[in-house]
Amino acid sequence: MRKNGLEPPYNAMQAGTWFLLPILILQFGFFVSPILPTMASIPLTVAFVALAAMSSRFAYMTCATDPVDDLLAARLRQRADAKAAGGERR
């Protein structure tokens, strides 16, 4: 059983997002920012980079979080221990 979203097997949408997010950030830097007027380019680029960094951080935190409920995790451990001891308790 997976502990969090950073363990294989990876979902195709998850892998696609981690692949496309840096590409989208680079596209903004190479194609959008240079064609904007300087007065708009600097604050928009700073805001975009800050928001992209926050989005990346929160996406990582979301994937790294173990989503299982504490009571369910305790029950699953109890069952695994009972099974290892030679019989399953209910």
Side-chain angles (χ1 to χ4, degrees):
M1 180 166 60
R2 291 172 39 160
K3 184 175 174 109
N4 58 42
L6 296 176
E7 295 179 1
Y10 300 111
N11 183 322
M13 290 173 41
Q14 175 189 11
T17 299
W18 285 114
F19 176 74
L20 290 176
L21 182 63
I23 291 173
L24 292 173
I25 293 169
L26 290 174
Q27 284 179 342
F28 180 86
F30 288 130
F31 300 115
V32 176
S33 187
I35 64 172
L36 292 173
T38 305
M39 294 301 289
S41 176
I42 293 171
L44 287 177
T45 301
V46 168
F48 181 82
V49 168
L51 291 171
M54 287 188 330
S55 295
S56 298
R57 180 173 185 267
F58 292 136
Y60 176 81
M61 288 172 52
T62 300
C63 286
T65 300
D66 185 2
V68 71
D69 180 62
D70 293 334
L71 295 175
L72 177 61
R75 178 71 175 156
L76 291 173
R77 277 193 300 274
Q78 180 184 17
R79 277 194 170 175
D81 292 343
K83 192 172 187 180
E88 186 168 330
R89 294 185 330 195
R90 295 228 174 217

